[in-house]
Amino acid sequence: MSGSKNATRSGNRAAENGVSPRGRYLRLLALSLGSAAVFAVLFYLWGRELFPRAAGRWGGAFPFVGAVALTLAVALFLSEWFGFAGREVRKVRLAARDFLFLCSLALLLFFAAKAVIDLLAEIPALGRGVPTRVYAYLIPLPAFAMVVRVLINSETSILFTVAASVLSAAAASGSWPALLFLLLSGTAGAARARRVPDRYRMLLVGVQTAPVCAVAAAALEFSFHGGGGVLWAAIFGAVNGLLSGPIALAVMPVAESAFGYASDIRLMELSGTGNPLLSRLMMETPGTFHHSVVVGTLAEAGALAIGANPVLCRVAALYHDIGKLGKAQYFSENQAGVANVHDGMSPGLSCEVILSHVKEGVRMAGEFRLGDRITEIIAQHHGTSLLYCFLDKARPMIRDREASEEMFRYPGPKPKTREAAIIMLADAAEAAVTSLDRPAPQEVDGTVNGIVNRIYLDGQLNECDLTLRDLHAVGRAIGQVLAAIAHGRVDYPESGKGAV
Ligand SMILES: [Fe+2]
Ligand SMILES: [Fe+2]
């Protein structure tokens, strides 16, 4: 369905979350078959008049067979559409979970469209003055397109808008004005949902979509049916746009909890220090917490420099080292004023403890339901890089063939997204610059450049979409912030006089 690349990606994710690929596949298969059965029943109950009947003993079963056949045809259309795009469009890498989410959303919209049209036609007060066809302007596609853009990405939301428009227009007897309105309103909603860090912004997106929907509905109604229903069309179009914000806000938490997505709104909630995991990090490993906050600031600056997602960078950075919880004393940022526990340990054992913080972080992210975007960044933030600090200590062992250099590499995977790559760069740069004593700005710059070059030459950025221009811009942004942090304080006179 989604190509071997995506199958590998979902397989990796499954393995990371402790579920075997086979178990994950069987679960998805059961879920797909269950969903298909539910939709076949809904088609049968709601669209019985569409399907042919036949004479004879089994004639009564024909409408149900028709409903099953329609479900199969729709599933085939959706799998071909999203499958093709998933294989061929670079930014539409749909995992099985995304595919299932989009198909469910498209079918849900179809039944929502049918419910809107059927139920409103039943209301006598409306039935008299409003032509039934005008109810199609209330089909809530803008809200669903906004949800897809916020939870997945803009390319996928365009694909979803087209597929869902075709399906939902069927609920409005396949009329041209309905199809055109759905295509236009879905695109308008998705186009305005670029960055949605809070609920207010989501409501605002709906308000901005409303005039476009109203004008489109009025124009389409006038051009295809004359002036009779234009006012109602404009009103329904506007209401559709205005309601798209609240509907999207209602759908998103359900999608997040059922499919493991993390919207920017959810990320902002996770960034508060009232969050139990962050509180623990702050109380139990203050050095790691401080390091994570600084990495978050650097990563946010890096993301802003190249148009990546700054919210995801900042929040994922806060959690990137949660795997260190419970083993604080083994990590240098928590060792101020105490003896280094690694002095009494073999390099192999030290390395094992340090490397384990990635796996433990992924486990904790799953336990605390941080969502796949943060979990994947935790898994990728060291890529397959070498643990240089213990490598030198282990040189004699490597020479005597008691150990190999590969034992001192993180298990990966390498960063797959620009945000994961930015966090890898910010993390390494922060650690390197912190080890310098009151560095001059040129020294900070040189150190950051050295780190960026080392990571690039080590091949850690081979699997993400960062261009060389991006890499240069990210390195410069991180260097500027680190230089400001390193030289941001002016010494107070000892007496305290003169301090402002
Ligand atoms: Fe780390
Ligand atoms: Fe770190």
Side-chain angles (χ1 to χ4, degrees), residues 291 295 320-321 324 357 381-382 427:
H291 158 74
V295 171
H320 79 284
D321 276 339
K324 293 180 181 176
H357 86 274
H381 80 275
H382 287 292
D427 188 27

Side-chain angles (χ1 to χ4, degrees), residues 22 29 141 220 236 329 377:
R22 186 181 152 80
L29 186 68
L141 181 54
L220 286 166
F236 285 173
Q329 72 277 19
I377 287 178

Side-chain angles (χ1 to χ4, degrees), residues 259-337:
F259 292 91
Y261 291 114
S263 65
D264 282 3
I265 297 176
R266 168 85 179 125
L267 291 177
M268 290 301 285
E269 286 168 358
L270 287 171
S271 71
T273 43
N275 182 280
L277 203 48
L278 279 189
S279 300
R280 270 189 66 193
L281 197 66
M282 192 162 51
M283 301 309 293
E284 295 173 28
T285 56
T288 301
F289 179 75
H290 176 260
H291 158 74
S292 303
V293 171
V294 177
V295 171
T297 309
L298 300 174
E300 189 175 12
L304 286 169
I306 61 166
N309 187 335
V311 178
L312 176 59
C313 279
R314 185 162 57 79
V315 181
L318 287 178
Y319 288 92
H320 79 284
D321 276 339
I322 47 168
K324 293 180 181 176
L325 267 169
K327 292 181 196 140
Q329 72 277 19
Y330 293 99
F331 296 90
S332 58
E333 66 267 23
N334 301 306
Q335 288 172 346

